[in-house]
Structures are given as structure tokens and as C-alpha cells.
Amino acid sequence: MNDLVGRYFDAAIAHLQRVREEEADAIEAAAALLAEAVAQGRRVFTFGAGHSSLPAQDVVYRAGGLVPVNLLNVPGMAGVTVMPAPLASALERVSGLATTSLDLTPATAGDVLFVISLSGRQVMPVELARYARDRGLTVIGVTSLAYPGEVPSAHPSGTYLKDNCDVVLDSKIAVGDGELTHPGARTTFGPVSTIVTSALMQAVVASAVGRLAEAAEAGTAEAPPLFRSGNVPGGTEWNVRQMSDNAERIFYTY
């Protein structure tokens, strides 16, 4: 195996092991909030700008995922779909997009919002988290606590995402998001932030599903509303029923 390939996998595995051990309590705290919201018939929303949108999308409308999880999609911010690509970064610095975007959803007090931002310093994620909490939503932030203190906040309040959440999941990603170096390269490379952040999100969902399933087994709640793969027999029909049963809680079919 190429040395850089081995180093990259080692870095990713080390990061996953670290967040597994150090973020266990935060994962369970987030899972408890998620499970409670689902059991109470609430909606769940996820948001991330740029590449942080990828982990946000990873838990929406997918096999094994919870049905009432919705992507809060702000045009131009999801992944790298906007042209030119730097426009997405510019939009993240525009005030007012967060409040308007949330206002145009059916989100209400008691719903849950995951806000994903690696640095947690830009206007959009900070403004969104602050506004969502003002409206009574529970906010779970997924960010790297390595950034505050090293990189200034771009929000007028001077705060970061971490300062405006009910629960914070720390991805432990170093400033710069590069795990590898090479004498011939002028900067670090080999980011693992997407892998680690997606793992954190899926771990929260897994724990929440487990809580809901245990309650269902005990006869105190209904089975968790989950999607099946459309590639297995009966999967598509199953998903249609699930979406029909949860129509008031899903935003992605509007």
C-alpha cells in the first residue's frame, strides 16, 4: 500500500476512535433529544453549508434512516452545486439567509435542528443556531472545537456555533482540515472531516433508533419510523407507507 494511503486510513481510523471515546456522552445526549422529538411527533431538520452539507444530507431520506429527518436546504449552500463554487462560501457570510430559510419551513418550537459547521465561525451557522433557539427549537451543533480561539468568529456577536447550541458534538478536526503532509506539497491535504462528521451523525441516529426500539419492545411506544432500501423486495412500498404515515413531519416532499 502507498505510504500516503496507509497514513490517510490511519488518520481516519484514529479520529473515529477518538470521537467514539471522547464524545460518547455528547452522542448519547444528542440521541436522547432526537429520540424524544421523534416519539413526540416532532420534526427534525439538518443543515450544513458547503461540504458540511454532505453529513447533513447523509441522514435524510435514506435506507435505515429516520423518516421525519428533513434537510434544511438553502440554495447555493448544499455541497458544491452552485457555480461558481466560491459563491457558496460568500453566501455563508450573508446575514438574513438563515432566518428567512428557517421561516420558510414548518419548523415549530419543540422540533430539533442539527447545525453542522466545521469551523463554526461563519455567519450562517451561528445566525441559524441563535434564531432557531429563539424560536424554541432544540439545536444540536456538530463542529470542531479546535477552531474557536485560533480563528476569529465572523458573526457580529463574536460567538461561534458551539456557543449557541443545546448539545455540541466535537469532531476534533484540526484547523485546516488536512491530515497529511508531503515535502512537495505546499499545504496539508487528506481531510477526514466528512468521514468523522457523518459517523457522528449516524451514531446519534443509531442510538436514537435503539432508544425508540427498546420503548416499542416494552410496549410504551410505537416502532421507530425507518426507511428501507428501495432495492430490496417491498422496499419502495414500505417507504411510501412510512412517508404517508409521517406526512405532517416531512418537508422534503413538499
Side-chain angles (χ1 to χ4, degrees), residues 120-123 126 147-149 151-161 163:
R121 63 180 290 270
Q122 292 296 350
V123 171
V126 175
Y147 280 81
V151 185
S153 170
H155 191 269
S157 68
T159 64
Y160 298 80
L161 174 59
D163 302 312

Side-chain angles (χ1 to χ4, degrees), residues 213-239:
E214 288 174 1
E217 194 174 38
T220 59
E222 296 183 359
L226 294 167
F227 282 114
R228 283 182 179 174
S229 171
N231 296 311
V232 301
T236 299
E237 293 77 11
W238 169 278
N239 293 335

Side-chain angles (χ1 to χ4, degrees), residues 87-130:
L87 177 59
S89 298
L91 289 173
E92 199 175 0
R93 299 190 289 270
V94 176
S95 180
L97 281 176
T99 55
T100 300
S101 298
L102 192 61
D103 283 342
L104 291 174
T105 74
T108 59
D111 290 345
V112 171
L113 170 65
F114 287 83
V115 181
I116 304 170
S117 173
L118 178 59
S119 69
R121 63 180 290 270
Q122 292 296 350
V123 171
M124 182 70 185
V126 175
E127 187 172 89
L128 180 59
R130 289 165 67 92

Side-chain angles (χ1 to χ4, degrees), residues 59-74:
V59 292
V60 177
Y61 185 60
R62 68 163 303 153
L66 287 164
V67 176
V69 179
N70 304 269
L71 179 68
L72 179 56
N73 182 27
V74 181

Side-chain angles (χ1 to χ4, degrees), residues 28-240:
E28 292 303 328
L33 292 173
L34 176 57
E36 181 180 20
V38 173
Q40 293 178 351
R42 302 293 188 177
R43 292 185 181 90
V44 180
F45 295 87
T46 64
F47 171 81
H51 287 93
S52 290
S53 177
L54 302 178
Q57 295 179 58
D58 193 44
V59 292
V60 177
Y61 185 60
R62 68 163 303 153
L66 287 164
V67 176
V69 179
N70 304 269
L71 179 68
L72 179 56
N73 182 27
V74 181
M77 287 194 178
V80 288
T81 58
V82 66
M83 302 288 278
L87 177 59
S89 298
L91 289 173
E92 199 175 0
R93 299 190 289 270
V94 176
S95 180
L97 281 176
T99 55
T100 300
S101 298
L102 192 61
D103 283 342
L104 291 174
T105 74
T108 59
D111 290 345
V112 171
L113 170 65
F114 287 83
V115 181
I116 304 170
S117 173
L118 178 59
S119 69
R121 63 180 290 270
Q122 292 296 350
V123 171
M124 182 70 185
V126 175
E127 187 172 89
L128 180 59
R130 289 165 67 92
Y131 185 57
R133 291 185 86 191
D134 287 344
R135 286 189 45 179
L137 277 74
T138 297
V139 178
I140 300 171
V142 188
T143 186
S144 170
L145 298 185
Y147 280 81
E150 289 198 37
V151 185
S153 170
H155 191 269
S157 68
T159 64
Y160 298 80
L161 174 59
K162 72 176 182 68
D163 302 312
N164 300 283
C165 300
D166 296 284
V167 174
V168 175
L169 299 172
D170 182 10
S171 64
K172 318 288 184 182
I173 302 298
V175 175
D177 194 16
E179 296 298 318
L180 304 177
T181 59
H182 190 284
R186 296 184 178 181
T187 187
T188 57
F189 57 99
V192 298
S193 58
T194 302
I195 295 172
V196 174
T197 305
S198 289
L200 280 168
M201 292 293 291
Q202 291 292 353
V204 171
V205 172
S207 179
V209 169
R211 291 167 181 265
L212 293 166
E214 288 174 1
E217 194 174 38
T220 59
E222 296 183 359
L226 294 167
F227 282 114
R228 283 182 179 174
S229 171
N231 296 311
V232 301
T236 299
E237 293 77 11
W238 169 278
N239 293 335
V240 169

